[in-house]
């Protein structure tokens, strides 16, 4: 055996990029992609982050990754990292139809260029009671467009308690600054009174912005004026409602309530409580939305035909009373969730050594998530697996097709039935578990 550490370095056995360009890989994924990923994997191994023996497995795993189906076992119904609301039957059917040509800007009565998204906007108005509607690509875009068109160069009053940060580090003050409006903070973090708004009004004040704290909840010594009082100050009231509840959700303000209180524009997300695709929806008076529709930013922020089709399908389901996946998950009874989890436990008992891996059905709490209904309790049932190395099992499940995303808690991998069983993902979960347990070489 050589004493030369260079000669003994296992990285000397690294394959070349050419050796990894096998005909099946190239045929399945394309020459350019295989070359790029092969170089990435070889660099990982050369840097010592990957064993030489694992190079080909890592290459194939990366090549097969795509935006396909996943199994959400986290218990978070609107998981932002998993695309928030799973789409219902209407949206899926609409996507399939719109994949080809679709008359998104054709007036079918005249054959001439028509109003983009007219059918979607009509359904939004029917569902919410708004006079007019406008659709952009997400709620942040909706707020940006509204503020830019209505308040640019002037002052906008915002409570200090509403200068929130949303997912990905995006902050309301930054969005407001991009609109060209000048932020004027009023009140304090926990208490803002109507008199604070009144005292801040100047001839330069263009509007009041009310931002719903959709991803956190303040309790205790807290106060804020109601929307109807803010609308009564005589300035345009713009409401960033976020989650976009169309029905009574306890403390969650609804779109109808915001419009009825006097808001001239209400901005909501399409992929939260509405249960549709990512979209920003602006609802309000036709006169208020007219300059938004004509604004140059509208061209940059408008969604594509597939998002519009999915939103139209979702609205059709809502208007006709069809149950959406989000509704099915929220309404699933605990007894049904427990039965599903017990079934998974029984099926796994046939293929694992229960003396090595403990499998238990337990009560847990999930969340609506996605910046919706913060603090709301969502009791659920989960299958808790306790193998010798829970992290290894979690990673093995991430590598399945489809990947399974669970959560680790107190040495157990939890698979929450509320985000699995109502969507019919139980059989796929069991198959992924069997494959993952094989991969980590658990005794059978």
């Amino acid at each position: 055996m050589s004493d030369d550490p260079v000669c003994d370095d296992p990285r000397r056995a690294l394959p070349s990029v050419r050796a990894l360009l096998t005909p099946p890989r190239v045929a399945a994924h394309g020459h350019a992609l295989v070359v790029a990923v092969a170089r990435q994997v070889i660099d990982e191994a050369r840097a010592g982050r990957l064993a030489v023996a694992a190079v080909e497995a890592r290459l194939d795993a990366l090549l097969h990754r795509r935006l396909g189906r996943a199994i959400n076992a986290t218990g978070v119904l609107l998981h932002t990292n998993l695309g928030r609301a799973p789409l219902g039957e209407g949206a899926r059917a609409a996507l399939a139809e719109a994949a080809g040509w679709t008359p998104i800007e054709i007036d079918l009565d005249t054959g001439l260029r028509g109003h983009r998204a007219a059918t979607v906007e009509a359904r939004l108005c029917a569902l919410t009671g708004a006079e007019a509607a406008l659709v952009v690509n997400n709620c942040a875009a909706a707020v940006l467009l509204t503020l830019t068109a209505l308040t640019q160069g002037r002052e906008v009053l915002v409570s200090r308690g509403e200068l929130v940060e949303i997912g990905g580090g995006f902050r309301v003050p930054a969005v407001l600054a991009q609109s060209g409006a000048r932020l004027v903070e009023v009140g304090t973090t926990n208490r803002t009174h109507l008199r604070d708004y009144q005292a801040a009004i100047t001839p330069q004040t263009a509007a009041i912005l009310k931002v719903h704290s959709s991803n956190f909840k303040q309790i205790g010594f807290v106060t804020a004026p109601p929307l109807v009082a803010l609308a009564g100050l005589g300035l345009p009231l713009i409401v960033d409602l976020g989650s976009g509840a169309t029905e009574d959700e306890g403390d969650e303000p609804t779109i109808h309530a915001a419009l009825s209180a006097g808001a001239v524009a209400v901005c909501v997300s399409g992929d939260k409580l509405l249960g549709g695709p990512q979209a920003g929806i602006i609802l309000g008076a036709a006169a208020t939305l007219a300059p938004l529709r004509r604004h140059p930013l509208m061209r940059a922020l408008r969604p594509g035909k597939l998002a519009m089709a999915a939103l139209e399908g979702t609205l059709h389901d809502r208007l006709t009373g069809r149950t959406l996946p989000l509704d099915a998950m929220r309404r699933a009874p605990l007894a049904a969730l427990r039965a599903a989890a017990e079934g998974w436990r029984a099926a796994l008992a046939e293929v694992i050594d229960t003396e090595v891996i403990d499998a238990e059905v337990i009560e847990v709490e999930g969340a609506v998530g996605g910046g919706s209904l913060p603090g709301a309790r969502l009791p659920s049932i989960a299958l808790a697996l306790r193998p010798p190395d829970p992290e290894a099992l979690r990673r093995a499940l991430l590598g399945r097709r489809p990947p399974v995303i669970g959560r680790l808690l107190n040495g157990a991998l939890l698979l929450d039935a509320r985000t699995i069983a109502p969507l019919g993902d139980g059989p796929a979960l069991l198959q992924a578990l069997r494959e993952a347990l094989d991969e980590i070489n658990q005794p059978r």
Side-chain angles (χ1 to χ4, degrees):
M1 186 173 181
S2 171
D3 292 331
D4 185 350
V6 175
C7 294
D8 293 337
D9 192 329
R11 290 175 294 184
R12 291 175 61 87
L14 275 171
S16 65
V17 171
R18 181 181 295 274
L20 297 173
L21 291 172
T22 63
R25 286 194 183 107
V26 172
H29 306 288
H31 182 274
L33 180 62
V34 178
V35 168
V37 179
R39 286 173 176 163
Q40 174 189 335
V41 172
I42 290 172
D43 285 345
E44 287 182 25
R46 191 173 287 127
R49 298 191 300 272
L50 181 69
V52 172
V55 163
E56 295 217 36
R58 172 71 170 164
L59 171 63
D60 289 329
L62 291 177
L63 288 173
H64 281 96
R65 286 186 182 177
R66 60 194 65 191
L67 288 178
R69 177 188 174 199
I71 297 175
N72 177 8
T74 66
V76 179
L77 278 54
L78 297 174
H79 201 303
T80 299
N81 304 123
L82 295 176
R84 291 190 180 159
L87 298 179
E89 294 179 17
R92 293 173 187 238
L95 280 171
E97 286 195 25
W101 303 115
T102 187
I104 190 168
E105 286 190 19
I106 292 288
D107 184 332
L108 295 180
D109 290 327
T110 65
L112 302 176
R113 181 166 183 164
H115 168 46
R116 187 180 183 91
T119 58
V120 174
E121 292 172 11
R123 286 168 171 79
L124 281 167
C125 292
L127 181 66
T128 65
E131 183 182 8
L134 197 60
V135 182
V136 289
N137 52 30
N138 60 25
C139 194
V143 175
L144 175 64
L145 176 61
T146 303
L147 292 172
T148 303
L150 301 181
T151 70
Q152 190 172 45
R154 299 180 66 194
E155 297 172 351
V156 175
L157 309 184
V158 188
S159 167
R160 286 188 173 88
E162 297 169 9
L163 297 176
V164 300
E165 178 178 310
I166 58 177
F170 294 98
R171 297 180 172 183
V172 166
V175 174
L176 198 148
Q178 287 298 313
S179 73
R182 297 195 300 276
L183 168 67
V184 177
E185 301 177 19
V186 301
T188 63
T189 301
N190 61 321
R191 292 176 68 81
T192 302
H193 302 274
L194 188 65
R195 61 178 179 269
D196 295 320
Y197 288 96
Q198 291 172 314
I201 295 174
T202 73
Q204 285 299 308
T205 307
I208 296 172
L209 175 64
K210 176 71 176 177
V211 182
H212 176 50
S213 55
S214 58
N215 56 2
F216 72 97
K217 191 171 186 177
Q218 288 185 324
I219 59 174
F221 193 55
V222 175
T223 192
L227 292 179
V228 67
L230 291 177
L233 293 178
L235 290 168
L237 175 62
I238 300 166
V239 180
D240 176 3
L241 204 56
S243 58
T246 58
E247 301 174 356
D248 184 30
E249 299 281 358
D251 294 336
E252 191 81 0
T254 65
I255 296 170
H256 183 266
L259 292 170
S260 298
V264 299
V266 178
C267 303
V268 301
S269 296
D271 55 357
K272 294 185 179 181
L273 294 182
L274 188 63
Q278 176 182 301
I281 299 167
I282 310 170
L283 303 154
T288 301
L289 268 56
L292 280 64
R293 199 181 301 279
R294 297 190 300 267
H295 198 278
L297 261 184
M298 182 61 208
R299 178 78 178 188
L301 300 178
R302 71 182 187 181
K305 65 174 183 177
L306 296 182
M308 295 296 280
L311 181 56
E312 184 179 280
T314 300
L315 293 168
H316 176 76
D317 284 352
R318 285 279 179 219
L319 289 165
T320 57
R322 178 181 286 178
T323 299
L324 293 173
L326 175 62
D327 305 322
M329 290 188 290
R330 291 183 67 184
R331 298 171 187 167
L334 286 178
L337 300 180
R338 183 179 294 279
E342 291 285 6
W344 304 335
R345 180 177 180 274
L348 286 178
E350 301 174 0
V351 296
I352 64 174
D353 186 342
T354 54
E355 293 184 0
V356 177
I357 299 180
D358 177 58
E360 181 185 8
V361 174
I362 63 172
E363 295 182 0
V364 294
E365 275 197 4
V368 175
S372 302
L373 304 179
R377 291 185 67 252
L378 196 61
S380 190
I381 303 294
L383 177 63
L385 298 176
R386 297 182 180 86
D389 188 348
E391 173 62 14
L393 178 57
R394 185 187 74 85
R395 288 181 174 273
L397 285 171
L398 289 174
R400 306 276 63 80
R401 297 181 65 193
V404 178
I405 295 87
R407 61 188 176 106
L408 292 175
L409 182 67
N410 299 328
L413 178 64
L414 303 186
L415 306 171
D416 196 309
R418 189 172 290 280
T419 47
I420 302 171
L423 304 185
D425 284 339
L429 170 70
L430 283 174
Q431 179 63 30
L433 279 169
R434 294 186 181 106
E435 293 175 0
L437 291 167
D438 278 341
E439 179 180 311
I440 62 175
N441 297 315
Q442 294 295 343
R444 298 287 295 271

